Amino acid sequence: MADVKDRLASALLLAAIAAASPTGCSQRMPADSGELVIAFPGAPVSIDPRLSTDAYGTQILQMTHASLIRMDAAGNPLPDLAEGFEARSPTEVVFRLRDGVRFHDGRELTSADVRDTFAWILNPRNRSPHRSTYETIREIETPDSRTVVFRLSEPFAPFLAGMVRGIVPAGTRAAGYSPPIGAGPYRVDDYEQDTAIRLSRFEGYHGGAARIEQVVVKFLPDSNVRFLELKKGSVNLVLNGVEPDLIPAVLENGNLVMEEAPGSNVSYLGFNLRDPFLSDARVRRAIALAIDREAIARTLWKGHADLADSLLAPGFWAHDDKIPPLRYDPAAARRLLEAAGYRDPDGDGPKPRFRLTYKTSQNELRRRIAAVIQEELRQAGIAVEIQSLEWGTFFSDIRKGNFQLYSLTWVGIADPDIYHYAFHSGQTPPEGANRGGYRNPEVDRLVTEGRRETSREKRKKIYGKVQQILSRDLPVFPLWINRNILVRDRRLTGFVITPDEDYASVKEMTFRKGKEAGK
Amino acid sequence: MSERTVKQTIARRVARHRGAVAGFAVVVLLLLAAVLAPLLAPFDPGAQALDSGLSGPSRSHWLGQDRLGRDLLSRLIHGARVSVAVGLGTVSLSLAIGLLVGSAAGFFAGKVDHLFMRLADILLAFPGILLAIAITSVLGPSLRNVLIALSALGWVGYARLIRGQILKIREMEFVQSARAVGTPPARLLRVHILPNAISPVIVEATFGIARAIVAEAGLSFLGLGVAPPTPSWGAMISEGRHFLFVAPHLTTVPGLAIMITVMAFNFLGDGLRDAMDVREGAH
Amino acid sequence: MRRYLFSRLRQMVPVVLGVVTVVFLLIHLIPGDPVEIMLGESALAAQKEELRRELRLDRPLAVQYGDFLLGMAKGDLGTSFRSREPVLREILRRVPATLLLSAASMTVALCIAFPLGIVSAMRQHTFLDHLCGFLAMLGLSMPNFWLGPLLILIFSIGLGLFPVSGYGTAGHLVLPAVTMGTGMAAILMRMLRSQLLEEIRQDYVRAASARGLSRRAAVVRHALANSLIPVLTVMGLQVGALLSGSIITETIFSWPGVGRLTIQAIDARDYPLVQGCILFIALCTVAVNLLTDLLYSRLDPRIRYE
């Protein structure tokens, strides 16, 4: 992995500069006595920062645990526990901890806690799923209680991104569901697995105590129940948990308001390029032309979705803005299929040109979308059979490349290097995520070059080319990006919607007084 | 009484039972709807109109449209096919196995019974959901596999019920005396025991049809029911549940259909039970 | 009696072993890889191999099965892949919620089924009977995922009587118990009615009436007792369904029961946890059915009179 060396060094320098800017409230604000009740559409698997990989666990940890640094929406590091850091060399990074940071139990947070957190993850006996992220750490040194030195075995660009891991006190054992204490703005009072977690403000938080005293997160998998809890007022903040069709009904009672902001998760239709029909780019393009994405975004998503033209969201720095748009054109789709030699045996009659199966998870929304795509492809003369499978089975089939068509969503793309993982010919299963078996020497060359290149400008050009080629070859068809939808009590202010659904801004939230609420 | 006259008597008694007649009529209508669905349905049940999704009843769409703008009435009529197939199919399959195993266990008792009881215990203790997942992930999601999944555990209840009845009846005087005069076992079972054991089984079976239809809805809720776009009443309720508070007709309509069907089968079952009851006929 | 009980308890062993074996085979044979689910998208092949070795998933199925049986014999159900907690502790944590909901649902079912069933049988073919029949149908044909939100809308939003969802107080218990209890009530009620009707026609009830006992007393004293056997059978069957079939209700009301734990374990292909959950459900079901069988002999007067 020598190709990432230079990128690391420049990233660290940038970071050191960004770290100089101050954050946190220096003066204490008056406390809010109200209770913030958040609903999640699911329950976390683990809320130990050293083990948690699921989205809900991560979101809770954003409220309860502090890390060396944080990342802003654009991917730039911000200081958190570390007041600054510097890369002495591409393989040696030094963090300086803030003075007087305390854990929830009053213990002081020192360099030993930082070292121990990462040492625990790296210990194979603890089987942390995060170990691969830190495998390049050769040594962690703590010359004094406020300095941590990481020595790497080789330069590793994602190292800094890995420093957002929450720090736990040295010697904390993994205790399943009983969450370890942290140094974040909220402490865990009570955790009822699969039901709710209660948090209360940590007065000694190093960034200044949060404004709202009590935060409850309820885990409500049923969309009707989330709707009813909001209606009743027993939940007052939901991010991406209200179905677009229900938003007008939920806002009826006047206490709730809706905000939306662009998202970053791209839904796509995957093709198996080893399939005799789908190996033909004309067939793939015909399928893309036959799907009316505008109609789906307008109706099923009620406009709360943006059409995608690449795996990268339009706001992302490496996104290519000059990809020719692919518009719904059923006539062109039929012409392409004819040209590819697939004649419709009986015109508009029931006989199809050919048959495909479409795999999807058992999720109701995905089934609904599958039914729309099926119907639109039927009109183009392609018979589609939907196989809605239980998640474990579905994911296993997709990862093995056992499918013709499928649909999934890419979550958490932080770097265009995703193109190497998803489209390089060496990344076919079981190694990487090139599940459709796409092979293009030009793309192979570009995505390898993109990893080596350190200049953002040049990388943007390289990945621009990649996106152009992929929009022509269509090994996957990018569908849309759902917008992040926040429904909240109108008195609650301060929550910042980020593309990656970060809950760190909860500590800045406050209840506005009744009188101001009218406006 | 010869067999023919028994049947005529039963038919006559059913005909006198007003509820049974109504039930029978609904069941016949339902079967007709299932068979003639393509002729009766005003629209193609798969035809979508995304922009008019969730519309309420209108002149052209009498029962309204679902989220994808599909005509609810047409889906209801076509759904009758699937749901009737699920209900009747599951119950017939379960009942056939249950009758066979249950009567064997109850009648022969001893080792056979012992073996059956352990097998039944295993299956009863077995969570249906895992079996449903296993069946759909190995065989693929389809109507046939929904039937298999629901029957795989469904027969045990009937078998246990029949066994329990037989154990009770075989000790009764009239069976003992029939046995004493040397009635062969098969005849004993067929003529003396089963007809007297069957009445709770019929009640259970008419309920079983309902339970199978609702269970299919539960499988649909977990995404393991019939694959889209096939309309089944269970899948329709499951698909409509997200819109319970903005488009209640999506769940109410198939819900009512299930209820009416359940009632019809039940009244019919009640009528049959009363009619077949020898003792009631005696006074 | 004691010998019977002992032999029945001994018979439970092969049953439980049977369930556990079938589950072991099923969960290992259906597609899906716990390691891939645990490590997520970006894990490297070597890392997956390592974890597979650590979890001993690389060894032949027969060896894994042997290990599992051996552990079970020692009372060790293993460690959950997902949470790293001992499976036993994980299940025990869920047991109170599960038993509470099951017992409450059964109580709701009985409280509805018995009065309605008796009234229905004693007033056969009257308006009351038809009304009860209608209610039973209603209870039966409403899927829980539909009834649950409806009950919340009426009793929680409309009347403000109970919390919408969650676990903790008695108030939290009511709506999920009613949601689960209604379907079962319908089944029990119909069964009770038909059994009662049969018994009422029997000579001894008529004789009791003739002796001057009121009809109601005769029904309650004699017919009811005799009707209990099939009703009990059905109830026993329902208990198994209660434990494993509560997934939907638990999901809707965010109830931390074993049903949801089971489905989550299946989703994550958390083999030890799946096996543990199903072992628990199996043990409960077997125990309840044993109890039902024991009650048979107590309740059936024909057996007692001999």
Side-chain angles (χ1 to χ4, degrees):
Chain A
M1 294 280 266
D3 44 348
V4 291
K5 199 181 294 180
D6 300 325
R7 202 167 79 200
L8 172 84
S10 60
L12 287 184
L13 280 175
L14 274 171
I17 298 161
S21 61
T23 62
C25 313
S26 47
Q27 76 204 76
R28 287 286 292 275
M29 297 286 192
D32 265 323
S33 51
E35 189 183 58
L36 169 63
V37 189
I38 303 170
F40 280 5
V45 175
S46 165
I47 46 174
D48 185 326
R50 301 167 297 179
L51 297 172
S52 168
T53 51
D54 63 296
Y56 304 123
T58 307
Q59 289 170 342
I60 285 171
L61 290 167
Q62 284 159 354
M63 297 181 264
T64 57
H65 284 69
S67 45
L68 287 174
I69 54 166
R70 288 191 179 279
M71 293 289 176
D72 70 7
N76 303 311
L78 300 171
D80 190 5
L81 292 173
E83 59 183 20
F85 57 91
E86 71 173 308
R88 285 191 191 147
S89 81
T91 57
E92 186 176 313
V93 189
V94 182
F95 289 88
R96 284 186 312 281
L97 300 185
R98 277 170 201 266
D99 195 16
V101 177
R102 292 189 180 275
F103 283 113
H104 297 156
D105 62 356
R107 254 183 289 175
E108 193 171 355
L109 189 152
T110 67
S111 54
D113 300 308
V114 177
R115 186 190 54 206
D116 209 70
T117 299
F118 291 101
W120 193 95
I121 293 171
L122 284 166
N123 183 345
R125 278 187 48 212
N126 293 323
R127 300 203 312 248
S128 169
H130 296 299
R131 184 150 65 94
S132 63
T133 315
Y134 305 107
E135 259 177 347
T136 48
I137 298 179
R138 187 167 50 88
E139 200 180 4
I140 307 169
E141 230 176 70
T142 51
D144 63 62
S145 70
R146 284 185 55 203
T147 312
V148 191
V149 184
F150 287 87
R151 296 226 171 75
L152 309 184
S153 55
E154 58 184 312
F156 186 57
F159 169 77
L160 205 61
M163 290 296 109
V164 298
R165 184 86 24 232
I167 302 298
V168 300
T172 306
R173 291 184 301 122
Y177 291 112
S178 45
I181 61 170
Y186 285 94
R187 70 167 93 213
V188 178
D189 285 346
D190 184 38
Y191 177 35
E192 185 74 59
Q193 198 193 333
D194 271 343
T195 299
I197 188 165
R198 302 189 146 269
L199 311 175
S200 69
R201 181 173 67 180
F202 172 42
E203 304 290 345
Y205 178 58
H206 61 84
R211 311 275 288 277
I212 294 177
E213 271 178 82
Q214 304 284 333
V215 175
V216 179
V217 182
K218 292 187 181 178
F219 312 127
L220 306 174
D222 189 86
S223 67
N224 281 323
V225 172
R226 290 195 298 274
F227 173 85
L228 291 167
E229 293 263 22
L230 273 170
K231 276 277 201 196
K232 195 179 183 192
S234 42
V235 159
N236 48 29
L237 185 127
V238 176
L239 180 61
N240 294 336
V242 181
E243 289 216 18
D245 286 296
L246 298 187
I247 290 171
V250 97
L251 298 180
E252 254 169 27
N253 79 2
N255 292 329
L256 299 166
V257 288
M258 193 266 285
E259 282 175 53
E260 66 174 318
S264 59
N265 301 333
V266 178
S267 297
Y268 65 96
L269 183 69
F271 301 109
N272 194 335
L273 279 69
R274 306 171 200 91
D275 183 82
F277 301 116
L278 297 169
S279 59
D280 187 334
R282 287 172 297 185
V283 172
R284 299 196 296 274
R285 176 158 298 268
I287 289 173
L289 288 167
I291 296 172
D292 190 354
R293 293 180 297 158
E294 282 96 344
I296 295 173
R298 183 179 67 238
T299 57
L300 296 194
W301 302 122
K302 293 277 170 211
H304 303 295
D306 304 305
L307 296 193
D309 55 8
S310 126
L311 290 192
L312 306 174
F316 194 73
W317 63 267
H319 177 262
D320 186 69
D321 296 331
K322 293 187 287 291
I323 299 169
L326 224 161
R327 290 232 167 72
Y328 174 57
D329 189 346
R334 279 192 284 269
R335 279 199 304 275
L336 268 174
L337 288 171
E338 299 283 337
Y342 299 110
R343 301 199 179 283
D344 199 334
D346 56 355
D348 280 342
K351 281 191 195 153
R353 300 168 199 267
F354 54 86
R355 294 174 180 280
L356 294 174
T357 53
Y358 176 114
K359 288 192 176 171
T360 174
S361 72
Q362 76 240 66
N363 177 293
E364 180 60 41
L365 273 170
R366 295 198 181 277
R367 283 165 60 109
R368 216 180 284 156
I369 287 158
V372 175
I373 291 178
Q374 177 188 46
E375 174 67 8
E376 287 173 346
L377 292 184
R378 187 182 68 83
Q379 286 167 10
I382 302 171
V384 173
E385 185 205 334
I386 298 173
Q387 291 201 345
S388 120
L389 301 167
E390 176 267 342
W391 172 254
T393 310
F394 169 68
F395 195 56
S396 160
D397 275 359
I398 299 311
R399 294 227 44 171
K400 283 193 207 121
N402 176 20
F403 59 82
Q404 281 182 304
L405 298 174
Y406 75 97
S407 172
L408 257 180
T409 302
W410 272 112
V411 176
I413 294 177
D415 193 278
D417 194 35
I418 182 81
Y419 282 109
H420 183 271
Y421 181 51
F423 297 108
H424 190 280
S425 60
Q427 292 290 314
T428 49
E431 199 54 50
N434 186 358
R435 296 155 189 154
Y438 179 61
R439 277 169 198 285
N440 183 331
E442 170 86 14
V443 170
D444 283 1
R445 191 181 58 75
L446 285 168
V447 294
T448 313
E449 193 184 326
R451 314 185 98 188
R452 263 191 219 116
E453 185 52 61
T454 55
S455 139
R456 203 176 245 204
E457 272 313 298
K458 285 182 186 157
R459 288 187 89 204
K460 189 170 158 62
K461 281 212 184 85
I462 290 168
Y463 289 112
K465 263 189 221 159
V466 173
Q467 289 168 71
Q468 289 285 344
I469 294 170
L470 294 184
S471 78
R472 213 171 50 233
D473 285 357
L474 283 179
V476 303
F477 175 37
L479 296 170
W480 47 73
I481 304 162
N482 287 97
R483 302 186 127 240
N484 289 326
I485 300 174
L486 177 76
V487 175
R488 60 167 172 86
D489 189 310
R490 66 165 64 244
R491 293 168 305 149
L492 273 170
T493 57
F495 188 87
V496 180
I497 314 175
T498 63
D500 58 348
E501 303 166 57
D502 195 321
Y503 279 75
S505 59
V506 164
K507 64 173 181 286
E508 319 287 347
M509 289 184 73
T510 166
F511 277 98
R512 252 186 301 175
K513 291 283 172 290
K515 275 175 193 163
E516 298 166 55
K519 294 287 162 195
Chain B
M1 267 193 291
S2 76
E3 207 147 289
R4 167 167 291 188
T5 47
V6 170
K7 276 183 188 155
Q8 282 170 346
T9 313
I10 291 178
R12 221 178 305 126
R13 286 201 198 136
V14 169
R16 253 187 288 147
H17 198 293
R18 261 187 303 167
V21 171
F24 184 70
V26 173
V27 169
V28 167
L29 279 177
L30 199 70
L31 291 174
L32 274 177
V35 174
L36 302 176
L39 299 174
L40 292 173
F43 292 91
D44 173 353
Q48 299 174 355
L50 292 180
D51 281 300
S52 47
L54 301 182
S55 302
S58 65
R59 195 164 291 173
S60 55
H61 300 277
W62 293 357
L63 296 178
Q65 289 158 282
D66 72 2
R67 180 67 204 90
L68 304 181
R70 296 176 294 198
D71 181 53
L72 211 58
L73 178 61
S74 306
R75 289 185 73 72
L76 194 74
I77 293 170
H78 278 268
R81 283 184 158 187
V82 182
S83 291
V84 167
V86 166
L88 289 179
T90 306
V91 167
S92 330
L93 200 58
S94 314
L95 202 55
I97 306 172
L99 257 170
L100 205 72
V101 180
S103 44
F107 189 73
F108 295 112
K111 279 235 166 74
V112 179
D113 184 35
H114 192 79
L115 198 73
F116 159 71
M117 284 308 284
R118 298 294 81 72
L119 182 69
D121 285 344
I122 291 178
L123 286 171
L124 281 177
F126 199 85
I129 177 72
L130 183 59
L131 199 74
I133 288 176
I135 286 171
T136 50
S137 63
V138 175
L139 301 177
S142 72
L143 177 59
R144 189 196 62 183
N145 297 334
V146 166
L147 280 184
I148 293 177
L150 291 179
S151 308
L153 297 179
W155 67 270
V156 186
Y158 297 108
R160 270 185 70 116
L161 197 62
I162 291 161
R163 171 189 170 272
Q165 285 291 107
I166 289 178
L167 283 181
K168 190 172 89 180
I169 291 163
R170 52 179 279 162
E171 301 304 324
M172 286 183 167
E173 270 167 48
F174 71 96
V175 180
Q176 298 291 3
S177 50
R179 182 177 294 181
V181 299
T183 316
R187 190 178 155 74
L188 199 65
L189 186 67
R190 194 167 53 86
V191 176
H192 295 281
I193 301 182
L194 273 185
N196 287 297
I198 211 75
S199 114
V201 178
I202 287 178
V203 176
E204 187 63 15
T206 49
F207 262 66
I209 293 173
R211 275 212 303 274
I213 293 175
V214 177
E216 197 268 324
L219 284 181
S220 293
F221 175 87
L222 297 167
L224 301 169
V226 295
T230 314
S232 80
W233 294 344
M236 286 169 74
I237 297 191
S238 168
E239 284 164 15
R241 75 178 192 280
H242 294 282
F243 312 107
L244 199 54
F245 305 118
V246 287
H249 59 285
L250 295 190
T251 41
T252 321
V253 166
L256 282 175
I258 290 180
M259 207 173 92
I260 291 168
T261 307
V262 171
M263 280 196 180
F265 275 109
N266 196 66
F267 279 136
L268 191 61
D270 269 2
L272 273 175
R273 187 183 58 87
D274 290 350
M276 281 194 297
D277 197 321
V278 188
R279 276 158 299 178
E280 189 176 44
H283 67 258
Chain C
M1 183 68 196
R2 183 168 298 169
R3 248 181 65 196
Y4 174 69
L5 190 66
F6 184 71
S7 81
R8 280 303 307 266
L9 281 175
R10 214 178 42 206
Q11 286 161 8
M12 279 171 72
V13 176
V15 170
V16 170
L17 220 61
V19 173
V20 161
T21 307
V22 176
V23 169
F24 182 89
L25 287 175
L26 269 186
I27 188 76
H28 279 84
L29 293 182
I30 57 176
D33 181 351
V35 169
E36 260 176 12
I37 295 170
M38 274 169 86
L39 292 181
E41 280 268 355
S42 57
L44 303 168
Q47 210 189 344
K48 283 187 278 191
E49 269 320 299
E50 194 181 346
L51 185 59
R52 199 162 279 130
R53 251 197 324 276
E54 274 176 52
L55 297 176
R56 303 180 172 190
L57 292 170
D58 57 334
R59 300 187 304 163
L61 211 55
V63 177
Q64 292 185 47
Y65 179 62
D67 274 2
F68 168 61
L69 286 187
L70 226 63
M72 201 170 72
K74 284 186 280 186
D76 175 15
L77 296 177
T79 309
S80 159
F81 290 170
R82 215 165 65 106
S83 69
R84 292 133 192 280
E85 293 242 318
V87 167
L88 190 63
R89 198 191 305 165
E90 183 123 358
I91 291 168
L92 287 178
R93 198 198 320 269
R94 304 291 190 118
V95 165
T98 295
L99 292 186
L100 204 61
L101 185 57
S102 302
S105 311
M106 198 45 103
T107 311
V108 168
L110 290 176
C111 286
I112 300 174
F114 268 80
L116 292 195
I118 292 170
V119 164
S120 208
M122 291 187 66
R123 303 266 183 276
Q124 194 188 5
H125 300 314
T126 63
F127 173 73
L128 259 179
D129 180 24
H130 295 313
L131 183 72
C132 293
F134 176 77
L135 289 176
M137 297 301 143
L138 202 67
L140 198 68
S141 29
M142 281 200 285
N144 288 353
F145 60 78
W146 183 28
L147 180 60
L150 221 58
L151 288 176
I152 297 174
L153 183 70
I154 298 168
F155 293 100
S156 186
I157 309 287
L159 303 174
L161 290 176
F162 308 108
V164 176
S165 70
Y167 172 66
T169 69
H172 285 106
L173 182 60
V174 177
L175 294 184
V178 172
T179 305
M180 285 232 295
T182 41
M184 208 164 22
I187 296 166
L188 291 180
M189 186 218 129
R190 296 301 294 179
M191 190 44 100
L192 184 65
R193 174 182 179 272
S194 82
Q195 286 302 311
L196 274 177
L197 283 179
E198 208 155 287
E199 293 294 334
I200 285 172
R201 284 188 229 109
Q202 302 269 351
D203 294 338
Y204 70 91
V205 176
R206 290 197 198 140
S209 305
R211 281 204 314 271
L213 218 61
S214 78
R215 203 168 107 88
R216 188 191 302 165
V219 168
V220 169
R221 206 172 291 174
H222 300 288
L224 195 58
N226 285 343
S227 309
L228 281 181
I229 289 182
V231 175
L232 215 63
T233 312
V234 174
M235 247 175 86
L237 295 176
Q238 291 298 313
V239 168
L242 260 184
L243 287 167
S244 60
S246 52
I247 298 163
I248 291 171
T249 310
E250 287 177 8
T251 304
I252 288 171
F253 290 96
S254 298
W255 191 267
V258 173
R260 255 180 102 198
L261 188 67
T262 312
I263 193 88
Q264 286 167 352
I266 294 173
D267 271 349
R269 300 291 189 266
D270 189 341
Y271 299 154
L273 191 56
V274 175
Q275 284 150 5
C277 286
I278 287 166
L279 179 68
F280 167 77
I281 295 171
L283 281 174
C284 288
T285 319
V286 168
V288 167
N289 283 322
L290 172 61
L291 219 65
T292 321
D293 285 355
L294 291 178
L295 278 174
Y296 271 8
S297 54
R298 291 249 159 225
L299 279 175
D300 195 332
R302 274 168 292 241
I303 294 174
R304 212 187 314 167
Y305 294 155
E306 273 167 13

